[in-house]
Amino acid sequence: MSPITLTHANLISYNPERDILPLVLANCQYTFEMGKGTKIEYDFLGLERQLMDRFLFSKSRIDVGNVLEVCVIQFMM
């Protein structure tokens, strides 16, 4: 089997504070009642849909069969 070359365009990359937190906040509802405090309700289906739209649907499916061998991983900060 010939090696598969993956680029950063093939992989999912995100910053939790910049990319995920705004989606979580956009899919929650805060209510406050005197004597009861704050109630937070999350729209998990809406959050799941937005995560898929933003991070998954723009990527190609990578089929590596049964074996994936990673020779080099480079993390850039």
Side-chain angles (χ1 to χ4, degrees), residues 2 4 9-10 12 16 23-24 26 31 40-41 65 74:
S2 62
I4 299 170
N10 301 110
I12 297 172
L23 294 178
V24 171
T31 55
I40 304 173
E41 295 179 26
Q74 180 180 8

Side-chain angles (χ1 to χ4, degrees), residues 22-36:
L23 294 178
V24 171
L25 293 175
N27 287 284
C28 69
Q29 180 69 38
Y30 293 92
T31 55
F32 179 78
E33 292 184 41
M34 293 295 271
K36 293 186 179 180

Side-chain angles (χ1 to χ4, degrees), residues 33-49:
E33 292 184 41
M34 293 295 271
K36 293 186 179 180
T38 304
K39 180 179 177 182
I40 304 173
E41 295 179 26
Y42 294 96
D43 177 9
F44 289 109
L45 292 176
L47 178 59
E48 180 182 43
R49 188 172 40 255

Side-chain angles (χ1 to χ4, degrees), residues 11-66:
L11 304 175
I12 297 172
S13 176
Y14 66 92
N15 178 296
E17 291 180 8
R18 189 185 68 233
D19 299 320
I20 305 299
L21 185 58
L23 294 178
V24 171
L25 293 175
N27 287 284
C28 69
Q29 180 69 38
Y30 293 92
T31 55
F32 179 78
E33 292 184 41
M34 293 295 271
K36 293 186 179 180
T38 304
K39 180 179 177 182
I40 304 173
E41 295 179 26
Y42 294 96
D43 177 9
F44 289 109
L45 292 176
L47 178 59
E48 180 182 43
R49 188 172 40 255
Q50 285 188 331
L51 287 170
M52 288 189 300
D53 287 344
R54 182 158 185 180
F55 296 108
L56 296 179
F57 292 149
S58 63
K59 303 296 179 183
S60 300
R61 184 164 190 256
I62 301 169
D63 186 5
V64 295
N66 294 330

